Amino acid sequence: LHNKDLPSHRLVNTLTATTEDSEFMRFIANYKFHIAMENAICDDYMTEKLWRPMHLGSVPIYRGSPVVQDWMPNDHSIILIDSFPSPKDLADFINYLDQNDEEYLKYLEYKQPGGLTNTFLLESLEKREWGVNDMSKPNYLNGFECFVCDRENERLQAERAHRKLPDSVPLPVPRRAAYDHMGCPVPTPGYGSDDEIPANDSWKQMWQQDYWQSIDQAEALTTMIHHNETDAGRLWDYIHQLMSKSPH
């Protein structure tokens, strides 16, 4: 609606207003609430739109991951847009909190000692083998790759032990990947339907194209495995072969 001018021309350009930009962070910290709507709705997709205002002490008004509450510090730290029957009900609730400091501050209690009460989150942080900005641990991508390698090495060792002592060491139970391990649905917009977005919109060009390209890469990788291909550099050759056979 452009009902207020930004205090700095640098904040107009989102390319320069980065998460690490102190001016940008100070600007956000001025506000009691922060509308945080993800670019796509997916269980494991939670971004700086969510954690940036939480870091600064602003209450996120959030729409995004359906399982976001699993990872929140407590059950009273964000306002979920989808829990309200209408935008008016949401607006009424925000106005209520704005006029009642005691109720508003309940959304920031997790920042106080003892305020982080989500045991699932605490246990996950304590037990995870990967880190965030922690050079002593692998990052989350390397951590997943290491996990896959560890499970494969365990299987190979168990098979060797079985061959040596088949009567006393059983064969390892097969591990099979399921969709809910790493799967993700086709990205959907945070507001409206996919049909309402023009084909030339950047959301469609980036999010959906990335999704389908990842599907193609996964199919090509599966084909490589079935052909006992050992040259990782041939991935794009296999993708090209799949594309040439595709009816689309």
Side-chain angles (χ1 to χ4, degrees), residues 146-217:
C146 292
F147 170 81
V148 173
C149 288
D150 288 344
R151 297 295 84 78
E152 178 63 8
N153 284 325
E154 288 176 7
R155 182 185 67 81
L156 293 172
Q157 292 172 7
E159 287 182 347
R160 293 190 193 102
H162 173 75
R163 285 196 294 269
K164 291 180 179 178
L165 300 169
D167 295 331
S168 57
V169 179
L171 272 171
V173 177
R175 294 176 180 267
R176 297 190 181 278
Y179 181 82
D180 60 356
H181 291 155
M182 288 292 285
C184 193
V186 178
T188 57
Y191 178 78
S193 68
D194 175 64
D195 295 336
E196 298 171 337
I197 299 178
N200 62 350
D201 187 271
S202 60
W203 183 92
K204 216 165 218 181
Q205 292 180 350
M206 180 178 71
W207 287 93
Q208 288 200 335
Q209 283 189 16
D210 282 353
Y211 176 85
W212 292 114
Q213 285 174 3
S214 296
I215 294 292
D216 293 339
Q217 292 173 24

Side-chain angles (χ1 to χ4, degrees), residues 130-154:
W130 51 272
V132 178
N133 298 327
D134 184 349
M135 298 303 292
S136 67
K137 295 181 178 181
N139 66 38
Y140 67 99
L141 292 174
N142 297 137
F144 175 71
E145 293 169 351
C146 292
F147 170 81
V148 173
C149 288
D150 288 344
R151 297 295 84 78
E152 178 63 8
N153 284 325
E154 288 176 7

Side-chain angles (χ1 to χ4, degrees), residues 27-140:
F27 171 71
I28 294 173
N30 287 326
Y31 293 88
K32 294 169 71 173
F33 303 96
H34 183 101
I35 294 178
M37 300 180 72
E38 304 288 12
N39 289 323
I41 309 299
C42 188
D43 279 5
D44 296 320
Y45 188 70
M46 291 166 250
T47 71
E48 76 285 347
K49 293 180 179 66
L50 171 64
W51 61 254
R52 185 166 53 198
M54 296 185 75
H55 171 68
L56 296 169
S58 178
V59 177
I61 302 168
Y62 183 76
R63 186 164 196 267
S65 168
V67 298
V68 65
Q69 284 286 26
D70 291 348
W71 300 100
M72 291 299 96
N74 61 25
D75 60 1
H76 207 71
S77 49
I78 63 174
I79 298 172
L80 291 172
I81 291 176
D82 287 341
S83 65
F84 293 86
S86 72
K88 183 182 184 303
D89 290 300
L90 172 61
D92 288 342
F93 183 68
I94 295 169
N95 282 327
Y96 166 75
L97 291 181
D98 185 41
Q99 297 165 17
N100 292 270
D101 290 348
E102 185 175 347
E103 291 299 314
Y104 171 80
L105 289 174
K106 289 180 180 179
Y107 282 85
L108 299 177
E109 286 181 350
Y110 68 90
K111 289 186 168 290
Q112 302 299 323
L116 205 166
T117 59
N118 183 349
T119 55
F120 174 74
L121 174 62
L122 288 169
E123 291 173 0
S124 299
L125 290 172
E126 181 180 352
K127 295 179 180 178
R128 71 183 184 188
E129 298 179 355
W130 51 272
V132 178
N133 298 327
D134 184 349
M135 298 303 292
S136 67
K137 295 181 178 181
N139 66 38
Y140 67 99

